[in-house]
């Protein structure tokens, strides 16, 4: 009888282009021991990086910005090879990455500067108050597959600018862009405070186990696991998770702009964006007209495998599993009474799914309640603004939303009633391109934020409070030992005088 031998453990990941199944490259699978070794090296190098100060780090970040722009075409090639994106979508990631490098390089110094808060009481004016920000030594950054290059910049550059070292773990589906980013960091001769680690779930768990702070971008289900793992280690984490972003089209909206904007907001990157428009609520008087315009816009989209000629609008789904989710959502919607006005099927080639509009959708459908992350736009008719807001808020997610109206004051009023971390009026995705604004998820869409000016970099820091005397000190403060009735009454009286309202309360004495 022949002995049965166990299959050898995989040591590499083969990366394939989802558009045609061709091999794009491969990366090693790092064991937990390898991750720990990389983290120790980062920890050794980090103090010198922090010691450069914001200006010293700025020089390296701007040099990396130059490298990104000099290699933009090659980076777009790599992005397309592992994602199946259209050339336009791939070509946008390098300049946006460069833009973020420049933003954090130029603003980090001001954001990280010592702060001197005013004393809350006249009694405290005898102290000079200072808040100092120290970076966490090693920040673990775990990114998803939808923007393999840009997500490094969205989530990791601020950590480097803060003075932390970054332990970067890309998705196993699309690791090649991160390989290129790490190569660039090494090529410019930057300090060894960026380490790339590739692999599956065990590798990601090792990143958490060896980091002092973690940022995770990805699904809500995995985000929960990350949060639990960080809680067990008592380290902070920020989570940028799933979304089910609503669009509200009011009767006074410019319907042509709304149809064009919602088409882009829902179909950009084949709908594989955390802030994609995934459900649309339209006031009844303009519902039929809007559905017609939306259908016309979506039906014109060009889909396929793109080259460098910019001839395609919508590319492939990143994974077969994602294609299955989109197919299920569309099939279940149709079975429940929705009508496909354009699209509705997988193409049968690679992982492509046709850009799809689902008219007469209902709030109970899975395409309205679960995150789809694909090229679908289900549309619901509503009676009025109040119903649109109620249904938009009827979700476990709260990442972003859009409002389309001819009355900006009305748009802002509606925006303030929506349960979402960001609301764009008469536009889609625009908050994500304004780095001074926070990208924060409400409900199951996340914890903490990315970007957001000073908040986006200080999340990677530990605040330290320092007090120092402003006036010459005595040998003992009044409240130091030994206690006595006289000292207690004097101290309490002074504090009451500073805090109380009205002479009667100032003059009250403590009980004997």
């Amino acid at each position: 009888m022949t002995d049965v031998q166990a299959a050898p453990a995989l040591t590499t990941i083969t990366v394939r282009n989802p558009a045609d199944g061709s091999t794009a490259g491969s990366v090693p699978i790092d064991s937990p021991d390898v991750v720990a070794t990389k983290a120790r090296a980062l920890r050794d190098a980090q103090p010198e990086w922090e010691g450069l100060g914001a200006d010293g780090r700025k020089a390296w970040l701007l040099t990396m910005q130059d490298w990104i722009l000099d290699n933009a075409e090659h980076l777009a090639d790599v992005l397309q090879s592992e994602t199946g994106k259209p050339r336009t979508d791939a070509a946008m990631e390098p300049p946006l990455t460069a833009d973020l490098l420049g933003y954090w390089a130029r603003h980090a110094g001001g954001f990280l500067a010592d702060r001197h808060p005013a004393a809350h009481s006249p009694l405290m004016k005898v102290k000079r108050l200072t808040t100092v920000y120290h970076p966490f030594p090693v920040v673990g950054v775990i990114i998803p597959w939808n923007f393999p290059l840009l997500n490094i910049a969205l989530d990791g550059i601020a950590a480097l600018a803060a003075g932390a070292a970054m332990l970067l773990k890309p998705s196993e589906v699309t690791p090649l862009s991160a390989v290129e980013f790490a190569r660039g960091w090494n090529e410019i001769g930057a300090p060894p405070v960026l380490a790339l680690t590739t692999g599956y779930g065990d590798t990601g768990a090792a990143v958490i186990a060896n980091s002092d702070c973690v940022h995770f971008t990805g699904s809500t289900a995995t985000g929960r696991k990350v949060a639990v793992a960080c809680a067990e280690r008592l380290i902070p984490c920020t989570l940028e998770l799933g979304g089910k972003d609503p669009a509200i089209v009011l009767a006074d909206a410019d319907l042509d702009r709304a149809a064009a904007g919602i088409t882009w907001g829902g179909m950009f990157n084949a709908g594989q964006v955390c802030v994609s428009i995934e459900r649309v609520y339209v006031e009844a008087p303009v519902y039929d007209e809007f559905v017609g315009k939306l259908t016309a816009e979506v039906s014109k989209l060009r889909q396929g495998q793109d080259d460098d000629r910019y001839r395609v609008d919508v590319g492939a789904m990143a994974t077969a599993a994602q294609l299955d989710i989109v197919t299920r959502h569309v099939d279940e919607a149709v079975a429940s009474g929705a009508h496909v006005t354009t699209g509705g099927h997988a193409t049968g080639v690679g992982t492509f799914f046709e850009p799809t509009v689902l008219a007469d959708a209902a709030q109970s459908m899975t395409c309205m309640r679960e995150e789809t992350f694909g090229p679908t736009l289900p549309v619901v008719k509503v009676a009025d603004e109040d119903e649109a807001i109620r249904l938009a808020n009827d979700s476990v997610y709260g990442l972003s939303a859009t409002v389309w109206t001819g009355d900006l004051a009305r748009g802002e009023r509606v925006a303030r009633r929506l349960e979402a971390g960001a609301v764009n009026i008469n536009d889609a995705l625009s908050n994500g391109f304004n780095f001074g604004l926070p990208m924060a998820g409400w409900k199951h869409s996340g914890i903490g934020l990315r970007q957001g000016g000073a908040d986006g970099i200080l999340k990677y820091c530990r605040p330290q409070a320092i007090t120092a005397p402003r006036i010459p000190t005595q040998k003992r403060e009044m409240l130091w030992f030994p206690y006595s009735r006289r000292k207690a009454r004097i101290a309490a009286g002074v504090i009451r005088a500073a805090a109380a309202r009205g002479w009667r309360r100032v003059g009250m004495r403590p009980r004997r």
Side-chain angles (χ1 to χ4, degrees), residues 53-66:
D55 287 341
R57 296 190 293 272
K58 173 181 177 180
W60 286 114
L61 295 177
L62 293 179
T63 302
M64 186 63 185
Q65 181 188 55
D66 293 341

Side-chain angles (χ1 to χ4, degrees), residues 261-344:
I262 290 172
T263 296
W264 183 69
M267 300 296 165
F268 171 59
N269 201 41
Q272 298 169 116
V273 188
C274 58
V275 289
S276 289
I277 295 173
E278 291 215 0
R279 51 198 173 110
V280 186
Y281 302 98
V282 185
E283 283 194 294
V286 296
Y287 177 82
D288 291 336
E289 183 181 1
F290 174 78
V291 169
K293 291 179 181 292
L294 181 66
T295 300
E297 288 286 341
V298 172
S299 64
K300 291 186 295 187
L301 296 177
R302 302 163 298 174
Q303 185 177 40
Q305 187 171 5
D306 204 4
D307 50 22
D308 60 355
R309 299 181 185 178
Y310 300 86
R311 297 183 297 185
V312 169
D313 301 310
V314 179
M317 307 302 298
T319 67
Q322 203 60 44
L323 176 65
D324 290 343
I325 292 172
V326 176
T327 301
R328 176 172 62 84
H329 282 189
V330 171
D331 290 348
E332 290 176 352
V334 172
S336 299
H339 299 99
V340 175
T341 63
T342 186

